[in-house]
Amino acid sequence: MMRKNSRIFSTEDARRQAKRRLPRLIFDFIEGAAGRETGSARNVSQFDNIMLQPRVMADVAQCSLATELMGQSYKVPFGIAPMGMCNLVHPKADTSLADTAKAIGFPVCLSSAASTSIEDMAGMAGSHAWFQLYFGASEEASLAMVDRARVAGYDTLVLTVDVPQVSRRVRDLRNGFTVPFAMTPSAFMDFATHPRWSLSTLAFGAPRPMNFTDSNGVNTFDRGASRSGADWAFLEALRGKWPGKLIVKGVTSATDARRIRSLGADAIYVSNHGGRQLDSVPPAISLLPLIREAVGPDFPLLFDSGIRNGEDIIKALALGADFVMIGRPALFALAAEGAAGLNALLKCFEAEISVVMAQLGVTSISQLGPNVVFDNAAAKGDGLEKTPRAALQLAAKT
Ligand SMILES: Cc1cc2nc3c(=O)[nH]c(=O)nc-3n(C[C@H](O)[C@H](O)[C@H](O)COP(=O)(O)O)c2cc1C
């Protein structure tokens, strides 16, 4: 049921409620990251080191959030990042994501490890659904999944390449988190002390990865399996096979980005997986300008890792992204208040983008560039106007 008044005005509000409502095992699965989780924290804190330059007296009565990506128009410059097992946070999470994507007009990326099948998500989200591929048990099995996506009508495929092995996530190891669930005594206690989540999850049936069922109906998903088959040769094979848009996700190196571009990908998705793969990874937002410089001004770039509000989205767009994807905050909002929570949080992001654009004196997303980023070095010199290149280098250093 939709709540009339959401209590969500920020990601932090959603996170606080999610933490109360979810069994710890589930909350930790979402929030947890690799190693000591410093990479994950840096992704977020690095946004605070980037400042924006206000401009005054521009006519900003009408700001448009509409944007284009790979020839497609979107009403807002953001979408939902692929995340496995979303229904763990709320039994209708995937349905809510699909409905909200259609209502607001943005893409939602279904994970290979989703709790909804490729076919069902296509039915629910229509052309708003993208499909994210993890290399599976073999090239044959992976390409079979790609075929399913093509037959189901997807036109955008996202190949994730930053999980050659699932990293050591200490919270999951400590909690004994597995997919599908293993009902250990501590998990039982965790669920018993969160009856609201447990009863609603029971009523809908325990979520499972829905894309890994063999012909006998047996689930064959292995969360710990190596995905290192997603190599350069596989990318070439996939490019030959997939007729639609192909995006490569999990790229943080300018050298890799150039090679991916040369192999015919339609876009690169700059991401460090929210710090879930490598603790010592640099903040994704610091890498974005370097990758923009490597691929040139016109090549489509998507970005995620550390986005927590509309102002962060503006910063990513200004520093080289064409489109921004939202990860953990969407799951926190769904856990907190279901569809109403997701809607409330995304409306906050929309409103923040709009008011920040007004502060910066711009009225369209295409006007966002290094020109809106405060450049301390330039401010000390001959004024605030600077070359885009200088601003990009500054942002990369911070
Ligand atoms: C619970 C969870 C599950 C995820 N599952 C996937 C996945 O199946 N495939 C994928 O490419 N990325 C996956 N990711 C990574 C996200 O797509 C995204 O890169 C990351 O959440 C961005 O970091 P942020 O949430 O801190 O902004 C997952 C992230 C979370 C939090």
Side-chain angles (χ1 to χ4, degrees):
M1 203 198 338
M2 297 278 280
R3 294 166 65 105
K4 264 203 171 135
N5 295 313
S6 170
R7 281 179 291 151
I8 295 177
F9 299 92
S10 67
T11 293
E12 193 42 45
D13 291 342
R15 179 189 175 277
R16 206 177 310 113
Q17 281 195 62
K19 190 166 188 186
R20 252 198 325 268
R21 284 193 172 209
L22 291 173
R24 183 171 149 178
L25 180 86
I26 308 294
F27 180 81
D28 281 351
F29 162 63
I30 297 164
E31 189 175 68
R36 291 182 299 131
E37 303 188 355
T38 59
S40 171
R42 264 196 308 275
N43 276 341
V44 176
S45 64
Q46 186 62 11
F47 277 94
D48 296 336
N49 297 327
I50 299 163
M51 291 170 282
L52 300 173
Q53 176 60 57
R55 299 296 297 266
V56 295
M57 290 184 278
D59 178 2
V60 289
Q62 301 287 330
C63 285
S64 167
L65 272 58
T67 195
E68 276 212 4
L69 178 71
M70 298 182 294
Q72 180 85 36
S73 302
Y74 293 99
K75 290 196 182 131
V76 290
F78 58 80
I80 303 290
M83 288 178 285
M85 298 299 294
C86 293
N87 284 357
L88 279 176
V89 302
H90 187 280
K92 290 189 177 169
D94 285 328
T95 312
S96 306
L97 287 168
D99 290 346
T100 312
K102 281 191 292 189
I104 300 185
F106 61 68
V108 55
C109 191
L110 185 82
S111 161
S112 290
S115 39
T116 293
S117 72
I118 294 173
E119 293 76 12
D120 286 351
M121 188 49 125
M124 293 189 306
S127 62
H128 295 275
W130 294 357
F131 179 61
Q132 176 265 321
L133 180 73
Y134 271 138
F135 189 91
S138 63
E139 181 159 331
E140 196 189 0
S142 309
L143 293 178
M145 222 183 236
V146 171
D147 259 341
R148 275 175 64 190
R150 190 181 45 76
V151 171
Y154 288 77
D155 63 12
T156 303
L157 182 68
V158 175
L159 173 68
T160 296
V161 293
D162 60 358
V163 188
Q165 307 286 343
V166 175
S167 81
R168 291 188 87 252
R169 298 182 194 151
V170 175
R171 296 199 214 192
D172 289 349
L173 295 170
R174 195 181 289 133
N175 293 335
F177 179 85
T178 56
V179 178
F181 280 139
M183 187 55 91
T184 60
S186 67
F188 182 81
M189 278 305 292
D190 201 2
F191 296 161
T193 49
H194 294 87
R196 193 141 109 194
W197 178 90
S198 303
L199 290 174
S200 60
T201 300
L202 264 186
F204 282 85
R208 289 180 300 130
M210 294 302 283
N211 291 312
F212 294 85
T213 307
D214 69 14
S215 51
N216 301 317
V218 177
N219 203 297
T220 57
F221 181 69
D222 177 0
R223 185 167 179 245
S226 166
R227 290 157 189 162
S228 57
D231 58 14
W232 296 104
F234 181 70
L235 176 58
E236 278 194 79
L238 189 61
R239 179 64 290 183
K241 187 157 169 84
W242 176 255
K245 302 278 185 325
L246 179 60
I247 302 173
V248 180
K249 174 175 187 275
V251 180
T252 54
S253 139
T255 309
D256 288 344
R258 269 188 226 105
R259 189 164 172 192
I260 290 166
R261 182 184 177 163
S262 75
L263 289 176
D266 295 291
I268 289 174
Y269 187 152
V270 178
S271 164
N272 62 24
H273 219 103
R276 289 164 80 83
Q277 283 301 107
L278 180 66
D279 196 16
S280 303
V281 77
I285 192 65
S286 300
L287 300 166
L288 178 59
L290 303 175
I291 295 183
R292 169 51 73 205
E293 197 165 349
V295 297
D298 299 324
F299 190 73
L301 286 185
L302 294 90
F303 175 85
D304 78 22
S305 296
I307 297 290
R308 295 296 177 266
N309 56 46
E311 207 155 317
D312 292 345
I313 293 174
I314 294 265
K315 290 175 184 177
L317 294 169
L319 290 172
D322 295 297
F323 209 75
V324 175
M325 301 294 267
I326 296 162
R328 291 176 175 100
L331 293 185
F332 291 147
L334 283 162
E337 296 177 2
L342 177 68
N343 206 46
L345 184 67
L346 297 181
K347 289 289 173 201
C348 292
F349 285 12
E350 270 187 76
E352 286 161 358
I353 293 172
S354 187
V355 296
V356 172
M357 283 170 71
Q359 283 295 314
L360 302 178
V362 303
T363 53
S364 73
I365 297 296
S366 61
Q367 290 172 279
L368 293 170
N371 52 308
V372 303
V373 179
F374 176 68
D375 182 339
N376 204 20
K380 280 189 203 140
D382 58 356
L384 292 171
E385 304 301 337
K386 56 201 171 287
T387 62
R389 195 185 166 89
L392 292 173
Q393 282 166 349
L394 175 82
K397 270 189 238 136
T398 52

